[in-house]
């Protein structure tokens, strides 16, 4: 796997986890449940950023199967953020 690809995915993971931490900190400070949804959503997005490559490499699946799992995980994160915005 390309080193630049891995670095880009890790940067995405770290940034999404930083945003999730800040949202969780906001939840703890203010007690607003919507911030908890935002935090969970960004965790899902961050995990989704790296899961495609991991599933493809570790489980030796097809790239289409790995992409489908990745899309489902990222979509779940987006749904959680959407729920937080509509409350």
């Amino acid at each position: 796997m390309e080193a630049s690809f891995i670095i880009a995915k890790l940067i995405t993971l770290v940034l999404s986890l930083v945003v999730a931490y800040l949202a969780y900190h906001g939840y703890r400070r203010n007690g607003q449940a919507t911030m908890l949804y935002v935090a969970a959503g960004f965790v899902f997005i961050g995990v989704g950023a790296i899961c495609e490559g991991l599933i493809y490499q570790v489980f030796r699946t097809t790239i289409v199967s790995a992409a489908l799992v990745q899309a489902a995980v990222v979509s779940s994160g987006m749904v959680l953020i959407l729920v937080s915005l509509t409350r």
Side-chain angles (χ1 to χ4, degrees):
M1 205 181 275
E2 292 272 334
S4 59
F5 178 73
I6 293 171
I7 290 170
K9 291 291 190 174
L10 287 176
I11 288 171
T12 303
L13 173 66
V14 169
L15 288 174
S16 67
L17 292 180
V18 167
V19 172
Y21 171 77
L22 292 173
Y24 180 73
H25 183 68
Y27 163 73
R28 295 277 308 217
R29 187 177 16 164
N30 298 324
Q32 294 179 346
T34 57
M35 293 304 286
L36 194 57
Y37 284 110
V38 170
F42 274 101
V43 168
F44 273 73
I45 290 170
V47 169
I50 63 166
C51 76
E52 180 180 14
L54 288 175
I55 291 170
Y56 181 69
Q57 291 293 322
V58 173
F59 297 113
R60 303 285 183 203
T61 64
T62 64
I63 194 70
V64 173
S65 298
L68 183 61
V69 171
Q70 185 252 356
V73 172
V74 170
S75 295
S76 299
M78 292 295 211
V79 166
L80 286 171
I81 293 172
L82 181 64
V83 166
S84 75
L85 292 172
T86 58
R87 286 188 170 235

